[in-house]
Structures are given as C-alpha cells and as structure tokens.
Amino acid sequence: MQRYIEGRSQPFSWFLYILPALLVYLVFLAYPLFSSMLASFMTGNHAQIQTFVGFDNYVRLFTEEELSTRYFSAFRNTVIFFAIHMLVQNVLGMLFANLLQNKHLKGRKFYQTIIFIPATLAIIVTGYLWKLILNPQWGAFNLVLKALGSEHANFPWLGTPGVSLVVISLVSSWQWVGIPTMFFISALGNIPDELYEAAAISGASPWQVFTNIKLPLIMPTVGVVSTLTFVNNFNAFDVVFAMENVNGAPDYSTDILGTFFYRTGIAGQHPIGIPDRGMGAAVATVTFVVLIIGVALIRHITVKQDEA
C-alpha cells in the first residue's frame, strides 16, 4: 500500500520543487507584465478614472504626429545605441578575451580585474563622472586635447546633436566591456588544447585559428552575449538620464525608448508634464514585442551558424 501511495505521488512531486520559483515569477514578472498590457488599453492617470479605449493608445502612438515623431526618433536612436555596443563593446570584449586567454601573459588576472572594475560601479555615478570629464570648459578630456594642441579643445561633446549619442554609447560600452570579456574568456578556455596544437602543426595563422577554430566553437556564447546586449540596450535609461536628461538633449538626439517611455508614462511630456499612463504602457508593450522578435532573430541566426 505504501509503495502504491509513493508511486502515485511521485509524478507530481517535481511540482513542489518549482512551486516557490513559480510563485515568484507569477507575482513579480507575469502579473506586472499582464497589468502593463492591460493598462495600455486604458486612458487616464492615477488622479482620473481609468477608461477602456481599446487600441486607441497604439493608434495614437503610430499616427499622432508629435507622438509618432518622438517614438520613431527614440527607436532609431536606440538601434544606433545598440549597434555601437555591438561594434565597440563586444568586439573589444572579444579582442581582450583573445589577448587575456594567453596563459603566459604576465599580469593576466590584473588586466582582467581592471577591465571588469567599471561594470561594478553604479551607472549613475559613472555617467555623472564622465559628464564632468567631458565638460567643454574645464573637463579633463578637453584639457588633455588643449595640451596636445587640438582644435577640438573646447568642443561640447554632450551638447552637439549627432555626436552626443555616440559619446554616451562609447561611455556605456567602456563601462560594460568587462561582461562580454569574461563570457568570451570562459568560452575560449573550454576549447581543447589539441585543436590549437593541430593548428600550429599545420601552420595556421592567428587569424585562421580565430576564424576556423575559436569563433565557430564559441558561437553559442556569442549568441548569449548578443542577446544580453540587445535586451539591455533596448531597456537602457539611466546612462542617458545621468549624462543628459529625460528629454534626450540636445534636441532629442539622445532620446531612446527608455527615456521616451519615462517621459510619456511617468514624468509627463514637456511642457504640460501630465503623465499618460495608458500611453506609457503602450510604449512598454510595443518595446516588449520588439524584444521578443529581436531575441528570436538573434537566436535563429546564432543557432543556425552554430549548426553549420
């Protein structure tokens, strides 16, 4: 009888192990996501009665001139922000990982620590720090340029449209370059030494070793790093907030989806300053859909290359 009871209860015992994590997921992830999606079909704010308006917020977001202009501008800036991180942060991470993978390099642990330290600092702190460094009048960066006799010694790096977003992206890449570096070092360390020895015997160049051995074998890690970069950049907010403001100064040239969402749904658009909770939820929901599509595409590309 006892064996019968144990046999009947065993198929369901696994559920007890995942129940705590499932409850945390439902309360802190699934419910806020569902609540946000539901709010995107409503109008009004906390001081007004919530009214169901169907897809009106989405229609306004993509057709109302001021809203659509600001949204697509923020979307374009976010894509540029993400592209710079992919080209600078992740490529540098790959380069550093290849250099630091050399077991005979003196001070290898020290260099790894130096590269990773910025990632341990608060984004608000590093953002304000770089804002001081890039001050056109007395910032350390322009003082160095002045000492070198550069004609850009008083250039307003954070006050010039077309330049400020690139500067902020480079600062953010500098702070987070330690993360992909650690991922790639770990992945490269798992490649068997026999493959390197075979490549050395066949006379392969370092570039051939990288393209024919290292890169194909760490492609799953490249996919993970690309996915994390994509998700983090499309959710970015604090680095722009610290170095510019929520209006994406100058002239909305640094306005990304995170600052547009904050300005629309929480702080309120200039000059009225009344937050539109439903519109903010609509922006968040559209961003969520974009994230799902982007992650699926990155997974499809990297998995396909890994299987090739």
Side-chain angles (χ1 to χ4, degrees):
M1 184 63 182
Q2 183 66 27
R3 294 179 61 184
Y4 174 76
I5 294 175
E6 291 177 352
R8 292 279 295 177
S9 60
Q10 191 173 7
F12 303 101
S13 60
W14 58 269
F15 183 74
L16 296 176
Y17 292 98
I18 68 169
L19 185 59
L22 181 63
L23 289 175
V24 171
Y25 174 81
L26 291 175
V27 173
F28 294 104
L29 293 175
Y31 172 73
L33 178 63
F34 176 76
S35 178
S36 176
M37 289 181 175
L38 184 63
S40 68
F41 297 105
M42 313 289 281
T43 187
N45 54 41
H46 292 295
Q48 300 173 341
I49 298 175
Q50 297 287 305
T51 306
F52 181 77
V53 293
F55 288 93
D56 185 62
N57 287 323
Y58 295 96
V59 174
R60 287 179 53 212
L61 178 63
F62 293 113
T63 61
E64 201 169 290
E65 183 176 357
E66 184 175 356
L67 275 172
S68 61
T69 300
R70 291 284 166 259
Y71 175 76
F72 286 113
S73 173
F75 187 86
R76 184 187 64 248
N77 291 337
T78 306
V79 172
I80 296 173
F81 189 73
F82 164 66
I84 293 175
H85 279 76
M86 285 293 291
L87 293 175
V88 177
Q89 172 190 289
N90 292 345
V91 171
L92 281 178
M94 183 73 77
L95 176 63
F96 292 153
N98 274 277
L99 294 175
L100 297 174
Q101 185 209 7
N102 185 357
K103 298 177 182 178
H104 303 293
L105 179 67
K106 292 184 178 179
R108 188 162 62 104
K109 297 294 183 184
F110 173 76
Y111 295 134
Q112 290 182 13
T113 304
I114 292 296
I115 292 173
F116 193 76
I117 280 179
T120 64
L121 303 175
I123 303 176
I124 296 295
V125 173
T126 57
Y128 278 117
L129 177 65
W130 274 100
K131 188 174 181 179
L132 298 176
I133 292 173
L134 296 170
N135 186 286
Q137 299 299 323
W138 41 262
F141 186 74
N142 280 354
L143 289 178
V144 172
L145 292 180
K146 187 176 181 179
L148 296 174
S150 173
E151 59 182 7
H152 300 294
N154 295 319
F155 190 82
W157 301 100
L158 297 177
T160 306
V163 175
S164 50
L165 180 61
V166 176
V167 172
I168 293 173
S169 302
L170 292 177
V171 169
S172 179
S173 297
W174 162 81
Q175 177 165 17
W176 297 115
V177 70
I179 302 294
T181 301
M182 294 301 121
F183 271 95
F184 292 141
I185 287 177
S186 176
L188 291 172
N190 291 328
I191 297 177
D193 292 335
E194 291 78 5
L195 293 178
Y196 295 127
E197 294 171 359
I201 293 172
S202 62
S205 65
W207 178 250
Q208 289 174 322
V209 172
F210 175 75
T211 55
N212 296 327
I213 296 178
K214 293 181 179 178
L215 190 58
L217 291 178
I218 67 170
M219 191 52 69
T221 303
V222 173
V224 171
V225 171
S226 300
T227 302
L228 291 175
T229 305
F230 176 72
V231 173
N232 289 336
N233 289 165
F234 271 73
N235 286 317
F237 166 77
D238 34 20
V239 63
V240 175
F241 174 75
M243 298 187 69
E244 297 288 357
N245 54 51
V246 293
N247 289 327
D251 194 23
Y252 296 101
S253 62
T254 61
D255 191 23
I256 58 177
L257 289 176
T259 53
F260 178 73
F261 159 75
Y262 177 83
R263 196 171 61 250
T264 305
I266 298 177
Q269 286 274 22
H270 177 79
I272 301 175
I274 299 177
D276 188 336
R277 184 169 176 263
M279 182 57 69
V283 174
T285 304
V286 173
T287 304
F288 175 68
V289 173
V290 171
L291 286 173
I292 290 178
I293 296 173
V295 170
L297 284 175
I298 293 173
R299 285 283 302 165
H300 175 73
I301 294 171
T302 54
V303 170
K304 192 173 181 180
Q305 289 183 351
D306 182 42
E307 293 174 349

